[in-house]
Amino acid sequence: MHASFLALALAASAASVVNAQSSASLAALCKVYPNTPACELSAVCASQATNPACASTDAILASACADPASAAHPSCTPKPTAAPVKGLPTAKAASADVASLCGEMPGMDGCLGTFMCPPANATTGVADCNQMAALGSLCQDMPGMTGCKADWAPFCQAAGNLTPFCAKAAGAGTPTSMSMSMPMPGATAAPGAPSGANANSVVGSLTAVVAAAVAAVLAGL
Ligand SMILES: *[C@@H]1O[C@H](CO)[C@@H](O)[C@H](O)[C@H]1NC(C)=O
């Protein structure tokens, strides 16, 4: 009893030391590569620490170091051994998805204003913009699109209602006929049973139809 308590206490203090180290390493990396999904995630985690995607800076650093866009940073040597954040796309994948979606539908909120992504670097395939913010806006509006099913839904299925990538902040965005604010089904929600509709997002049966489509997309993963 006594010994196991001591072992637990030691394990807990060792874990928090490792996490403090990865926090410093991640902060250094994100100063150089702020426009990468791992660093965009790190930034929004500052205010959403209890979200599953924010649970471990070890995991976020591992994601940054698994992404060719930022893997060259000294924080990635030695290579982190933690498992990366579930479903987080690379900068190249997110850039390609945003370019593809905005090529098809340039008028979407996620292609305009602060979301706007310039053409990707021809060598790296990475666009110098907040790719996760743009992809999140686009995919909350059009979850059925190919890039959203491939690179956004798996992340948001694990990250639940992480704002703003998976769930819009209350009152954010311009309501349009295609831009419905709708909560993501939580990671634990049963397929076909999206989590409770937001009082301000009830657009009658249209919302229900879209919610069912999202649930179907997530269930099909
Ligand atoms: C594209 O990325 C490469 C490799 O990081 C870099 O050397 C080059 O300067 C970049 N090109 C532009 C136009 O930014």
Side-chain angles (χ1 to χ4, degrees):
M1 192 83 179
H2 191 106
S4 65
F5 175 79
L6 186 62
L8 266 179
L10 284 172
S13 79
S16 64
V17 168
V18 169
N19 220 256
Q21 281 174 348
S22 62
S23 292
S25 299
L26 183 62
L29 181 150
C30 288
K31 263 192 193 146
V32 183
Y33 302 102
N35 286 343
T36 53
C39 291
E40 288 187 73
L41 173 62
S42 174
V44 304
C45 281
S47 61
Q48 299 175 84
T50 59
N51 185 284
C54 299
S56 164
T57 51
D58 290 353
I60 301 174
L61 179 63
S63 289
C65 294
D67 187 335
S70 48
H73 192 271
S75 290
C76 298
T77 306
K79 196 167 192 275
T81 53
V85 177
K86 196 157 188 265
L88 189 68
T90 62
K92 184 178 179 178
S95 296
D97 291 335
V98 171
S100 164
L101 290 163
C102 290
E104 288 178 52
M105 281 156 295
M108 298 299 296
D109 287 352
C111 305
L112 304 170
T114 57
F115 293 121
M116 195 187 298
C117 285
N121 179 306
T123 307
T124 63
V126 174
D128 189 14
C129 62
N130 291 324
Q131 306 118 17
M132 279 304 290
L135 187 64
S137 173
L138 288 162
C139 292
Q140 285 172 76
D141 287 344
M142 301 178 295
M145 302 299 286
T146 303
C148 298
K149 289 194 217 173
D151 293 320
W152 171 80
F155 170 70
C156 288
Q157 193 173 34
N161 61 357
L162 186 73
T163 300
F165 308 145
C166 305
K168 284 181 179 165
T174 318
T176 68
S177 60
M178 276 303 293
S179 181
M180 288 159 276
S181 59
M182 187 187 67
M184 281 294 300
T188 55
S195 57
N198 196 325
N200 69 10
S201 72
V202 177
V203 195
S205 59
L206 186 52
T207 296
V209 167
V210 175
V214 175
V217 166
L218 293 173
L221 290 167

